[in-house]
Amino acid sequence: MFRRPALQVLHQFVRHESEIARSLVLERSLNRVQLLGRVGQDPVMRQVEGKNPVTIFSLATNEMWRSGDNETYQMGDVSQKTTWHRISVFQPGLRDVAYQYVKKGSRIYVEGKVDYGEYMDKNNVRRQATTIIADNIIFLSDQTKEKA
């Protein structure tokens, strides 16, 4: 007579525990960025208060489109928008290679993840910063060469 209610309580407890365990399971997610562009300035290496050094440089990507009444390929004005990205390299081997070989004007491909952070500027004002944390860099060409 008492066995049945005890089993029901035990069954409800086990079901409740498994629902809690399911809610604690981490879901897979993805934070991945791929950029192809030109380096805006020579990289700098910084080290902040005992933390690992980081190599930092900027990368410009361009978006181009034609506008006008007729959207055909050969008609209309060409417009361009340049977006600047801050690239940070923390991996020791890649960080050193980036510092040594990335140069202003180089065309490179960067893979990494987006990181949103905050910092205090020199006027003690809190600022937000978006950074690409690079984990792969592919060098596509030397610096842009000017034609004579």
Side-chain angles (χ1 to χ4, degrees):
M1 157 156 104
F2 290 110
R3 290 186 99 188
R4 187 174 162 137
L7 287 175
Q8 287 176 342
V9 168
L10 180 61
H11 179 69
Q12 288 176 346
F13 176 75
V14 169
R15 185 171 13 150
H16 178 69
E17 286 296 312
S18 65
E19 288 172 4
I20 290 173
R22 255 182 287 171
S23 69
L24 296 176
V25 173
L26 297 177
E27 294 181 348
R28 291 192 57 129
S29 60
L30 182 64
N31 177 355
R32 214 61 205 139
V33 175
Q34 298 174 319
L35 299 171
L36 174 64
R38 292 215 179 258
V39 177
Q41 93 264 351
D42 289 340
V44 295
M45 191 175 291
R46 294 193 182 144
Q47 188 166 4
V48 180
E49 300 169 8
K51 294 184 180 179
N52 290 332
V54 59
T55 296
I56 300 168
F57 60 92
S58 62
L59 185 72
T61 57
N62 296 312
E63 180 181 356
M64 297 177 70
W65 66 92
R66 291 192 181 274
S67 58
D69 293 338
N70 190 352
E71 293 280 337
T72 62
Y73 183 74
Q74 298 184 351
M75 303 291 273
D77 296 328
V78 176
S79 298
Q80 177 176 313
K81 177 185 175 189
T82 301
T83 303
W84 288 95
H85 310 273
R86 177 186 171 103
I87 311 295
S88 296
V89 187
F90 290 95
Q91 290 181 9
L94 187 61
R95 172 189 64 220
D96 300 334
V97 167
Y99 182 70
Q100 186 173 0
Y101 294 107
V102 169
K103 300 294 179 210
K104 179 178 179 175
S106 296
R107 186 167 159 84
I108 63 172
Y109 170 81
V110 174
E111 290 179 323
K113 65 179 182 176
V114 179
D115 183 61
Y116 301 99
E118 292 182 347
Y119 67 96
M120 298 296 267
D121 69 7
K122 59 185 174 187
N123 297 323
N124 215 22
V125 175
R126 183 172 291 191
R127 303 275 183 191
Q128 294 185 347
T130 303
T131 303
I132 306 302
I133 308 297
D135 56 28
N136 190 21
I137 298 174
I138 298 174
F139 296 86
L140 299 174
S141 71
D142 292 335
Q143 293 180 340
T144 14
K145 295 180 171 97
E146 296 181 18
K147 295 182 180 179

